[in-house]
């Protein structure tokens, strides 16, 4: 019935940090895009 | 009159609403002509509902205990009302004076949204006379998320009422009351923002125990966070739309100078919405990655999920950004509409569509449920109109006779409405 | 044996000698353990005497179990039937499975209830109390087994679900369904004892049962336990519910609420003060 297998619940952690880093880079680009017109505000 | 065409592009209802709300005294306006029968029909339906039971007018079932009244009126409606706490946070906590002109209308909208949409919760209760139980203390279900949410609704309505009360005081000419109530504004805003954060997320937390029933693409232990973050841009989008609408409908109420600054204001709101959506999108992506959900994308549910996440979050997010950069109010308003559609879809997905997704039976709202929802919305608009036409919500406050010497202070006192 | 263990043993022995009398009568001190029922589906013959007994006991329309052909379709419990028996055609032949409230150890429905209308009694049964309920149906949303049913066609609707014959239990009687069962497919007792009996049955007849007791760990353990000859998912059980008690899913959120209520107002006030200019106030 029940099988005993090792489940690594942190398997995707590496990918998650990759996503985080790409998010930070993209956020900087996105914010710069938003700020560009006229540079005021 | 390019503005008029923009608003009419957003659907017949809004343009008709605009054209009808303008004249103050007329009785036979199309909005009245349509909304009065809806309200009467809705009341009739409610009579049946309270005498014959919920099943007589709704399509609710044992499989779908929560339908359109909860999924749309309460859960979506409250998300739409998120503008009130976002704007009061910006104006009173962060002292962004730029948004001061819209505070009153936003707070009024938030207050009415809570009274009517959260109030719609009572229509859905099977035994509404027992609604006092969790309040008066003979049955405190501390262990329930709904206990928390209902208490926060109640307290938040009070906070909103206090935030709005200086306007009422001004309207009534009660100078002392106004000064006292204004002095409480910062406290009520702090209280209101805190409560909002908790019950916006609390509405999501309602579904935490429905884990086996909600499609894995929508269930996450982070639903509360998603609800909170999405209520920010839902609220901002709503402020953009209803602000635009109010500026058309109640044109004569508004100082032309303010009208000019409105564009700046909308662009600022769009910036906020764009950033919030950008963050929200990546939150959802993180969960997608963590739960390894790419295998689920191949089904029809996957396409539906992508429609919500890409089509109605990421795309409007970029549209907001594009609109900000090119100072295009048209694009910003379209983005706001798409965002709100996305919020409706997300809330309905969790509460109805992807809920019990594996069952052969499906739930569709009955026409009565839709009529009652329209009744709630119409009634809210009636009250909103009534208040706006009478109280200094949009227009500059009439200076009270003995208030004139305070006038220079007023501009400086950020904490007063 | 060290001194501490010695004291423990003598203490326990002393308790055993004086018996439970020292603690008073059964009724005044709540039972320290939850009641349960072991359902051995290999013994069930699908006679539906339990359905009839349940309907009689709780004043529901009594089904005509001999002639109504109800086993031809898959049924769910309803607002007029707290328990139903379903037939499954499996690799091991016909299997009959009784369905009713599982009386979870940590029920989702009671955690969901904002008026404590859904209530986990100290004896184990999960009961519904009409005076408190406001009919929000959050229990129905939360229950992993979809057990609570709502009377949609009443002006004063009730939530209907098996209450483990709580009144009978207090009178020292067994639940009506257990008493009516002619084949001992239902066995009433303390869950600890029932678990042992279930294990003994599996041990003695390893070929007759799948080696799993449904309800042992499901959603944190349930009062009703099931034995089966075929894998449980083939006879209408959800095996994807996990072993976490359902209230745990909202624990972190509810735990966090006071933290936010403490911290956020102060934080917001601080932010407000930081944004102000010095000569204000």
């Amino acid at each position: 019935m029940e099988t005993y297998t090792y489940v690594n619940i942190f398997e995707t952690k590496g990918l998650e940090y990759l996503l985080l880093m790409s998010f930070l880079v993209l956020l900087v680009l996105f914010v710069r895009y938003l700020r560009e017109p006229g540079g005021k505000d | 009159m390019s503005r008029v065409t923009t608003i009419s592009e957003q659907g017949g209802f809004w343009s008709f609403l605009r054209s009808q709300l303008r004249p103050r005294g007329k009785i036979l306006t199309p909005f009245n002509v349509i909304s009065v029968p809806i309200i009467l029909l809705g009341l009739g339906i409610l009579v049946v509902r309270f005498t014959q039971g919920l099943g007589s007018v709704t399509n609710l079932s044992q499989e779908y205990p929560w339908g359109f009244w909860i999924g749309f009126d309460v859960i979506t409606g409250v998300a739409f009302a998120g503008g009130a706490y976002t704007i009061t946070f910006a104006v009173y906590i962060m002292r962004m004076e730029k948004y001061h002109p819209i505070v009153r209308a936003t707070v009024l909208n938030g207050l009415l949204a809570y009274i009517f949409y959260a109030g719609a919760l009572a229509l859905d209760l099977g035994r509404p006379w027992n609604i006092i139980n969790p309040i008066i203390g003979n049955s405190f279900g501390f262990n329930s998320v709904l206990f928390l949410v209902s208490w926060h609704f109640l307290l938040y309505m009070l906070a909103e009422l206090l935030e709005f009360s200086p306007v009422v005081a001004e309207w009534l000419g009660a100078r002392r009351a106004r000064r006292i109530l204004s002095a409480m504004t910062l406290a009520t805003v702090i209280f209101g923002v805190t409560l909002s954060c908790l019950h916006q997320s609390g509405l999501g937390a309602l579904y935490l125990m429905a884990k086996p029933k909600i499609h894995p693409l929508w269930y996450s232990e982070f639903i509360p966070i998603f609800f909170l973050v999405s209520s920010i841009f839902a609220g901002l989008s709503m402020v953009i739309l209803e602000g635009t609408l109010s500026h058309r409908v109640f044109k004569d109420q508004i100082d032309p100078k303010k009208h000019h600054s409105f564009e700046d204001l909308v662009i600022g709101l769009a910036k906020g919405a764009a950033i919030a959506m950008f963050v929200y999108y990546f939150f959802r992506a993180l969960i997608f990655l963590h739960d390894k959900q790419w295998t689920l994308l191949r089904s029809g549910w996957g396409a539906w999920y992508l429609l919500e996440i890409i089509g109605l979050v990421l795309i409007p997010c970029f549209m907001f950004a594009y609109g900000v950069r090119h100072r295009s109010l048209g694009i910003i308003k379209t983005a706001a509409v798409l965002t709100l559609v996305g919020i409706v879809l997300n809330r309905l997905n969790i509460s109805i569509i992807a809920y019990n997704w594996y069952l052969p039976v499906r739930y569709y709202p009955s026409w009565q449920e839709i009529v009652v929802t329209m009744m709630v919305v119409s009634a809210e608009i009636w009250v909103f109109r009534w208040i706006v036409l009478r109280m200094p919500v949009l227009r500059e406050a009439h200076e009270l006779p003995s208030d004139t010497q305070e006038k220079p202070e007023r501009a400086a006192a950020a904490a007063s409405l | 044996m060290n001194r501490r263990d010695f004291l423990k043993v003598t203490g326990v022995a002393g308790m055993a000698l004086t018996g439970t009398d020292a603690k008073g009568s059964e009724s005044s001190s709540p039972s320290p353990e939850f009641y349960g029922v072991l359902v051995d589906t290999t013994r069930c013959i699908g006679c539906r005497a339990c359905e009839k007994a349940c309907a009689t006991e709780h004043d529901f329309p009594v089904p005509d179990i001999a002639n109504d052909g109800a086993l031809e379709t898959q049924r769910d419990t309803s607002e007029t039937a707290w328990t139903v028996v379903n037939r499954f055609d499996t690799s091991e032949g016909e299997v009959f499975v009784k369905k009713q409230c599982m009386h979870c150890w940590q029920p989702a429905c009671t955690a969901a209830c904002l008026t404590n209308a859904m209530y986990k009694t100290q004896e184990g049964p999960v009961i519904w109390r009409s005076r408190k309920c406001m009919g929000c149906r959050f229990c129905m949303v939360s229950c992993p087994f979809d057990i609570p049913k709502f009377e949609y066609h009443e002006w004063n609707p009730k939530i209907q679900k098996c209450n483990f014959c709580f009144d009978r239990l207090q009178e020292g009687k067994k639940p009506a369904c257990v008493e009516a069962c002619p084949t001992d497919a239902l066995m009433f007792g303390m869950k600890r004892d029932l678990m042992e009996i279930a294990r003994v049955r599996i041990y003695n007849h390893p070929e007759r049962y799948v080696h799993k007791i449904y309800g042992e760990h499901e959603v944190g353990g349930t009062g009703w336990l099931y034995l089966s000859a075929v894998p449980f998912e083939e006879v209408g059980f959800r095996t994807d519910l996990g072993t976490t008690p359902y209230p745990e899913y909202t624990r972190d959120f509810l735990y966090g609420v006071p933290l936010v209520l403490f911290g956020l107002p102060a934080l917001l006030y601080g932010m407000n003060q930081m944004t102000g200019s010095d000569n204000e106030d």
Side-chain angles (χ1 to χ4, degrees):
Chain A
M1 273 304 286
E2 279 142 309
T3 52
Y4 298 94
T5 47
Y6 173 66
V7 179
N8 180 7
I9 56 171
F10 300 115
E11 212 171 49
T12 55
K13 265 286 166 266
L15 279 174
E16 286 164 32
Y17 289 130
L18 265 178
L19 180 78
L20 174 72
M21 285 188 283
S22 52
F23 165 73
L24 290 174
V25 172
L26 287 169
L27 181 70
V28 170
L29 294 176
F30 190 66
V31 169
R32 283 185 55 175
Y33 178 83
L34 276 176
R35 288 181 61 89
E36 235 160 87
K40 62 173 183 177
D41 199 275
Chain B
M1 291 312 267
S2 59
R3 283 196 187 111
V4 178
T5 46
T6 326
I7 199 84
S8 59
E9 275 161 20
Q10 285 160 13
F13 177 67
W14 293 108
S15 62
F16 128 85
L17 183 71
R18 166 184 52 83
S19 60
Q20 285 334 299
L21 286 179
R22 194 175 292 145
R24 180 178 177 180
K26 245 166 80 182
I27 292 169
L28 269 180
T29 60
F31 172 70
N32 292 2
V33 166
I34 298 207
S35 65
V36 169
I38 287 177
I39 291 175
L40 292 178
L41 185 59
L43 290 174
I45 292 169
L46 287 183
V47 171
V48 178
R49 176 250 169 279
F50 280 108
T51 50
Q52 314 278 306
L54 274 166
S56 58
V57 295
T58 67
N59 281 346
L60 296 175
S61 61
Q62 309 297 355
E63 291 80 15
Y64 287 91
W66 283 358
F68 200 61
W69 288 352
I70 298 285
F72 184 78
D73 297 19
V74 179
I75 293 182
T76 313
V78 167
F80 282 2
Y85 84 89
T86 318
I87 297 296
T88 51
F89 171 76
V91 171
Y92 294 113
I93 311 280
M94 303 309 288
R95 300 182 203 237
M96 300 180 190
E97 282 304 309
K98 183 175 163 186
Y99 301 103
H100 214 129
I102 55 166
V103 160
R104 289 184 167 189
T106 309
V107 168
L108 176 62
N109 260 306
L111 173 63
L112 294 181
Y114 274 85
I115 290 174
F116 283 91
Y117 303 146
L121 188 71
L123 303 179
D124 198 70
L125 293 180
R127 307 155 67 88
W129 46 89
N130 280 345
I131 199 170
I132 50 159
N133 276 352
I135 295 164
I136 59 173
N138 64 341
S139 301
F140 273 174
F142 296 116
N143 39 19
S144 170
V145 178
L146 196 57
F147 176 80
L148 177 94
V149 170
S150 55
W151 260 96
H152 281 190
F153 276 178
L154 194 76
L155 294 175
Y156 188 63
M157 276 188 228
L158 286 176
E160 294 267 86
L161 201 62
L162 280 173
E163 280 171 35
F164 189 68
S165 59
V167 181
V168 182
E170 253 171 57
W171 174 58
L172 296 172
R175 196 168 60 88
R176 258 190 82 207
R178 186 195 166 277
R179 205 181 301 139
I180 295 167
L181 291 168
S182 294
M184 291 166 67
T185 299
L186 180 63
T188 53
V189 166
I190 288 176
F191 194 51
V193 170
T194 307
L195 290 172
S196 283
C197 287
L198 285 173
H199 71 236
Q200 291 286 359
S201 51
L203 283 175
L206 289 178
Y207 288 95
L208 287 175
M209 281 198 288
K211 186 176 194 232
K213 300 180 191 177
I214 296 174
H215 192 282
L217 281 171
W218 282 275
Y219 183 86
S220 154
E221 59 200 298
F222 291 105
I223 287 184
I225 307 274
F226 292 162
F227 269 49
L228 178 63
V229 176
S230 57
S231 78
I232 294 171
F233 58 76
L236 291 176
S237 301
M238 200 67 192
V239 171
I240 290 173
L241 279 188
E242 84 201 351
T244 315
L245 204 65
S246 301
H247 274 241
R248 302 281 174 282
V249 178
F250 302 108
K251 216 177 197 166
D252 49 335
Q253 295 264 333
I254 293 160
D255 189 348
K257 268 183 290 172
K258 277 194 188 173
H259 213 100
H260 184 68
S261 66
F262 187 65
E263 186 182 306
D264 266 349
L265 217 145
V266 167
I267 285 173
L269 295 172
K271 270 187 196 172
I275 301 275
M277 291 174 90
F278 195 74
V279 172
Y280 177 75
Y281 176 79
F282 275 92
F283 275 2
R284 296 287 296 257
L286 179 71
I287 300 305
F288 180 80
L289 206 61
H290 181 87
D291 292 346
K292 293 183 266 186
Q293 289 171 337
W294 44 85
T295 50
L296 299 167
L297 283 185
R298 245 170 282 155
S299 65
W301 289 107
W304 188 241
Y305 172 82
L306 290 179
L307 173 72
E308 182 196 315
I309 290 299
I310 309 275
L312 296 168
V313 176
L314 199 58
I315 287 177
C317 169
F318 289 148
M319 283 173 71
F320 273 131
Y322 186 87
V324 167
R325 203 178 153 116
H326 298 267
R327 297 189 75 80
S328 161
L329 291 195
I331 288 174
I332 287 175
K333 283 176 219 160
T334 318
V337 171
L338 284 181
T339 304
L340 293 181
V341 172
I343 293 292
V344 173
L345 205 62
N346 173 255
R347 299 305 196 263
L348 290 186
N349 274 336
I350 287 170
S351 60
I352 295 170
I353 300 168
Y355 179 88
N356 275 346
W357 56 284
Y358 43 82
L359 285 185
V361 289
R362 301 239 48 94
Y363 162 87
Y364 300 99
S366 67
W367 67 266
Q368 293 101 321
E369 288 177 84
I370 291 171
V371 168
V372 169
T373 300
M374 286 165 70
M375 177 194 87
V376 170
V377 175
S378 310
E380 195 220 347
I381 293 170
W382 268 75
V383 176
F384 184 78
R385 182 177 63 175
W386 190 89
I387 292 177
V388 163
L389 288 179
R390 281 157 186 83
M391 298 184 197
V393 176
L394 297 172
R395 70 188 134 94
E396 198 60 46
H398 289 307
E399 294 307 330
L400 301 169
S402 51
D403 216 18
T404 33
Q405 69 270 27
E406 293 177 44
K407 204 177 173 183
E409 289 170 33
R410 164 176 290 173
S416 81
L417 270 163
Chain C
M1 180 185 282
N2 63 29
R3 192 178 128 84
R4 193 135 135 271
D5 284 347
F6 173 74
L7 285 174
K8 249 194 229 165
V9 168
T10 48
V12 168
M15 292 282 279
L17 284 174
T18 50
T20 48
D21 290 342
K23 287 194 276 176
S25 64
E26 280 292 331
S27 56
S28 65
S29 73
S31 160
E33 279 189 60
F34 289 153
Y35 287 120
V37 169
L38 174 63
V39 185
D40 191 335
T41 60
T42 65
R43 297 185 181 192
C44 182
I45 54 170
C47 70
R48 298 171 57 217
C50 50
E51 283 186 35
K52 191 176 172 181
C54 177
T56 314
E57 174 70 23
H58 302 292
D59 295 324
F60 290 123
V62 179
D64 180 9
I65 53 175
N67 305 311
D68 65 4
L71 286 175
E72 300 308 314
T73 54
Q74 290 290 318
R75 293 175 302 150
D76 194 4
T77 58
S78 72
E79 64 270 38
T80 55
W82 284 357
T83 183
V84 293
V85 176
N86 278 314
R87 184 180 66 196
F88 295 88
D89 292 312
T90 69
S91 49
E92 304 282 317
E94 281 183 338
V95 173
F96 299 97
V97 179
K98 180 182 182 299
K99 182 177 184 182
Q100 73 299 306
C101 176
M102 300 292 282
H103 298 280
C104 306
W105 280 23
Q106 292 188 51
C109 56
T110 61
C113 189
L114 75 166
T115 60
N116 293 329
M118 274 298 176
Y119 181 66
K120 177 81 175 166
T121 59
Q122 288 181 305
E123 294 83 355
V126 179
I127 61 169
W128 175 81
R129 304 183 290 184
S130 70
R131 276 190 311 122
K132 294 180 181 284
C133 177
M134 57 189 234
C136 70
R137 307 189 296 289
F138 189 28
C139 50
M140 299 170 72
V141 172
S142 302
C143 176
F145 301 104
D146 281 318
I147 289 299
K149 297 294 190 295
F150 184 76
E151 294 176 338
Y152 282 105
H153 292 277
E154 298 287 336
W155 72 271
N156 182 12
K158 294 196 271 292
I159 294 284
Q160 295 287 3
K161 69 174 268 302
C162 163
N163 68 354
F164 214 145
C165 288
F166 185 56
D167 295 335
R168 289 175 61 97
L169 255 54
Q170 286 186 311
E171 294 164 19
K173 291 192 247 173
K174 292 178 183 177
C177 54
V178 175
E179 203 161 82
C181 183
T183 61
D184 281 338
L186 304 178
M187 177 181 272
F188 173 75
M190 293 295 176
K191 176 164 173 176
R192 186 195 303 274
D193 303 330
L194 296 176
M195 282 301 303
E196 273 178 22
I197 291 164
R199 287 209 184 90
V200 167
R201 284 188 196 170
I202 292 175
Y203 186 81
N204 287 344
H205 302 281
E207 75 294 341
R208 193 188 289 168
Y209 297 101
V210 291
H211 293 205
K212 175 181 171 66
I213 304 163
Y214 193 91
E216 180 181 13
H217 300 301
E218 273 66 24
V219 303
T222 61
W224 282 60
L225 305 165
Y226 284 82
L227 285 174
S228 172
V230 291
F232 282 96
E233 50 271 24
E234 290 177 29
V235 286
F237 289 89
R238 282 194 77 159
T239 50
D240 59 346
L241 297 176
T243 55
T244 309
Y246 270 54
E248 295 275 345
Y249 289 118
T250 57
R251 200 181 89 118
D252 290 347
F253 178 78
L254 289 171
Y255 211 163
V257 167
L259 290 181
V260 175
L261 281 173
F262 285 141
L264 195 54
L267 199 64
L268 290 172
Y269 182 69
M271 285 164 90
N272 173 265
Q273 292 301 299
M274 286 170 78
T275 53
S277 56
D278 289 338
N279 46 11
E280 227 171 315
D281 279 324

